[in-house]
Amino acid sequence: MSYVDEAGKKIREKYASEPEFIQAVDEVLESLRPVIEADEEKYRKEALIERITTPERVIIFRVPWVDDKGNVQVNTGYRVQFNGAIGPFKGGLRFHPSVNLSILKFLGFEQVFKNSLTGLPIGGAKGGSDFDPKGKSDREVMAFCQSFMSELYRHINHDRDVPAGDIGVGAREIGYLFGQYRKLTAQFEGGVLTGKGLTYGGSLGRKQATGYGLLYMTDELLKDHGKDIAGKRIVVSGAGNVAIYAIEKATELGGKVITCSDSTGWIYDPEGIDVELLKEVKEVHRARLTEYAQKRPNAEYHEGKGVFTVPCDIALPCATQNELLIDDAKALTENGCFAVCEGANMPTSLEATEYLQNHGVLFVPGKAANAGGVAVSALEMSQNSERLSWSVEEVDGKLQGIMKNIYKNISAAAKKYNLEGNYVAGANIAGFLKVYEAMSAQGVI
Ligand code: NDP
């Protein structure tokens, strides 16, 4: 049996209770097959697959906090420090009731390759908790964040591990986490967290970076195929940080974004999503999308899922993992969609990805397409080290350069292995090679 198959089988058996992690590993191993099989005995001897699929360290901890009624609540906190070969661990924190070890291991694993693709010196990690900030008062969110950091602070610092935001962790949560870290360490260590507010070391352009970066990637992809975003109908899922700024940039580039969604329903707005209204509903009021529909008479609100059934040219899934399944892929191709770029992490199932690729849809995976967020986080770390703040133009210029470079590298890697146009393979191979080289240079680690 080939090493890829043998190791893949072992991982599926050993981590049978971690379906998301297995899904992410399966995709990466399949992409790396031509690389590994070209020098199979060397990689087998080095236990390369076992090493890249095992986190360096996993921290799991109790997070007790007191709610507004005076009752003690207990959540589970996690930090998965997956691979630090090319730089300090880096990756977001997710606060969502669905969070478990499988989800954080898949996210941490993906983050390793994504961070490598940015060309910046950052290792891969992910963390979070099954805490649900929705419906909680600011005081409850603060109490939770303080308790969470009371354990996490022992495991992070600007050279060791630098968390940031993800689902459910935005500027408010980062502020509370940073405040508690500062209190516990008695130091102002800006570079320990990214996504900070602008008054205490945050970077201009960080909030927009993932969404804008996604559109810079989409633009590169389209141009390379003789197409243009202007005039295209675009469906976006999600209505959070990534989705909002993807919609903003897509509109700025002349596209027409006609959908967005949250965990209860979705909007079809034939006139194009009004991004300022969406920001008011989601960022200011933290409300449901029904409020958007009430203020926009020509927009339709639908309960449940449905974004990918709307005819479009381009689809940008920006909500969460496994939201674009095989039936969505079929609906997209039947309705003429020619490009899918992932803003979320692993939003497309393996089956749906293969279907899209086999039906000629241009497909860029999240680890390449949404790398703009972590890239600007790394730029925030640089600014914190220099104790300087760069202008928004400087940050945005660097972001554009990084996204172009990622596109160039993933295209070239795919071509080198005779997989031209397969950006999933290109991203996994390009991301892997750098990490592998660094790991090899550092011995058996
Ligand atoms: P937010 O919390 O800001 O927004 C998430 C959005 O997705 C919300 O609209 C939310 O709806 C919806 N959503 C979340 N979970 C589910 C679910 N289980 N089913 C349906 N809808 C859901 O998160 P972000 O925008 O930051 O993150 C979105 C995705 O992008 C995630 O996959 C994240 O890992 C990825 N990502 C984020 C980066 C960043 O910089 N923020 C960087 C790179 C990737 P509701 O409001 O109802 O919960």
Side-chain angles (χ1 to χ4, degrees):
M1 197 189 279
S2 82
Y3 177 41
V4 170
D5 291 327
E6 185 190 304
K9 184 167 172 283
K10 268 198 271 172
I11 290 163
R12 278 188 292 277
E13 283 166 8
K14 185 167 176 184
Y15 301 113
S17 61
E18 298 177 5
E20 293 85 1
F21 177 57
I22 288 175
Q23 183 181 338
V25 169
D26 275 346
E27 183 211 275
V28 170
L29 289 189
E30 213 37 61
S31 299
L32 297 183
R33 188 182 285 279
V35 181
I36 293 176
E37 291 187 352
D39 208 345
E40 185 161 83
E41 284 323 303
K42 179 183 78 166
Y43 289 120
R44 193 195 294 269
K45 198 163 177 213
E46 293 177 350
L48 187 262
I49 297 178
E50 290 81 349
R51 280 156 75 205
I52 57 160
T53 55
T54 306
E56 288 192 25
R57 192 172 298 105
V58 177
I59 301 136
I60 303 183
F61 50 100
R62 179 171 66 213
V63 189
W65 55 281
V66 180
D67 70 17
D68 283 347
K69 294 192 182 112
N71 297 321
V72 176
Q73 302 289 337
V74 181
N75 289 98
T76 306
Y78 304 84
R79 186 70 180 165
V80 179
Q81 297 178 333
F82 221 107
N83 192 313
I86 63 172
F89 298 110
K90 180 98 200 79
L93 297 172
R94 176 176 292 190
F95 293 168
H96 192 273
S98 64
V99 162
N100 57 35
L101 190 57
S102 172
I103 289 181
L104 294 179
K105 277 179 66 183
F106 116 64
L107 288 165
F109 182 66
E110 292 278 295
Q111 196 82 41
V112 174
F113 303 97
K114 179 190 310 191
N115 292 3
S116 165
L117 285 174
T118 65
L120 300 166
I122 38 178
K126 203 80 189 188
S129 174
D130 55 358
F131 172 74
D132 187 359
K134 245 183 254 156
K136 304 286 189 304
S137 69
D138 284 352
R139 195 211 60 81
E140 287 176 320
V141 171
M142 181 175 72
F144 172 81
C145 289
Q146 290 177 342
S147 179
F148 184 85
M149 186 53 86
S150 296
E151 175 58 38
L152 187 68
Y153 88 101
R154 297 171 221 286
H155 311 286
I156 61 174
N157 75 39
H158 64 278
D159 279 332
R160 186 188 294 181
D161 184 356
V162 183
D166 189 74
I167 291 179
V169 179
R172 174 181 61 171
E173 290 75 16
I174 292 290
Y176 294 146
L177 291 164
F178 185 74
Q180 185 70 358
Y181 183 85
R182 193 169 67 75
K183 180 171 174 159
L184 291 167
T185 58
Q187 286 191 43
F188 192 101
E189 188 189 327
V192 72
L193 285 173
T194 58
K196 298 183 294 297
L198 297 178
T199 52
Y200 61 97
S203 173
L204 287 164
R206 171 60 186 93
K207 185 168 71 170
Q208 295 83 356
T210 310
Y212 281 19
L214 173 65
L215 267 296
Y216 296 146
M217 175 62 74
T218 309
D219 194 36
E220 273 312 291
L221 173 77
L222 263 57
K223 278 191 195 142
D224 198 26
H225 290 82
K227 294 179 168 34
D228 194 346
I229 291 176
K232 301 294 181 298
R233 293 161 309 163
I234 303 174
V235 297
V236 168
S237 64
N241 176 259
V242 179
I244 288 174
Y245 293 95
I247 294 170
E248 184 166 275
K249 185 54 77 178
T251 310
E252 210 179 294
L253 294 175
K256 191 180 202 186
V257 181
I258 47 182
T259 67
C260 64
S261 65
D262 65 15
S263 51
T264 50
W266 58 283
I267 293 285
Y268 169 59
D269 190 337
E271 289 167 2
I273 296 287
D274 177 341
V275 77
E276 290 311 316
L277 175 58
L278 186 62
K279 284 184 196 172
E280 186 187 312
V281 171
K282 285 291 173 186
E283 292 185 338
V284 182
H285 299 167
R286 295 180 186 273
R288 311 308 316 165
L289 284 173
T290 40
E291 185 178 310
Y292 178 94
Q294 278 158 13
K295 293 190 174 161
R296 193 93 170 148
N298 291 334
E300 296 167 15
Y301 174 79
H302 302 270
E303 290 286 328
K305 280 187 67 179
V307 159
F308 303 116
T309 61
V310 175
C312 66
D313 303 301
I314 301 167
L316 306 175
C318 295
T320 193
Q321 66 274 359
N322 290 328
E323 52 162 324
L324 198 168
L325 307 177
I326 185 69
D327 287 345
D328 301 309
K330 287 181 181 165
L332 285 171
T333 45
E334 273 160 28
N335 288 330
C337 172
F338 66 78
V340 174
C341 295
E342 295 184 324
N345 285 310
M346 207 169 75
T348 315
S349 67
L350 286 175
E351 194 186 10
T353 303
E354 276 167 22
Y355 187 92
L356 292 168
Q357 288 178 319
N358 293 338
H359 286 77
V361 177
L362 303 170
F363 182 90
V364 184
K367 63 171 71 70
N370 71 29
V374 75
V376 173
S377 272
L379 301 181
E380 183 173 331
M381 290 162 71
S382 301
Q383 294 169 73
N384 295 149
S385 296
E386 298 189 316
R387 298 192 191 280
L388 286 175
S389 295
W390 303 342
S391 68
V392 73
E393 291 76 20
E394 189 170 356
V395 175
D396 195 57
K398 287 189 198 299
L399 171 63
Q400 289 189 39
I402 290 168
M403 298 313 293
K404 276 189 186 165
N405 214 27
I406 294 176
Y407 181 73
K408 198 177 85 199
N409 290 341
I410 66 174
S411 305
K415 213 174 195 170
K416 186 170 169 198
Y417 286 89
N418 294 323
L419 293 162
E420 191 163 356
N422 184 341
Y423 303 105
V424 173
N428 287 326
I429 293 170
F432 162 77
L433 288 174
K434 181 175 168 187
V435 177
Y436 172 66
E437 214 170 291
M439 286 174 75
S440 298
Q442 293 170 32
V444 179
I445 48 157

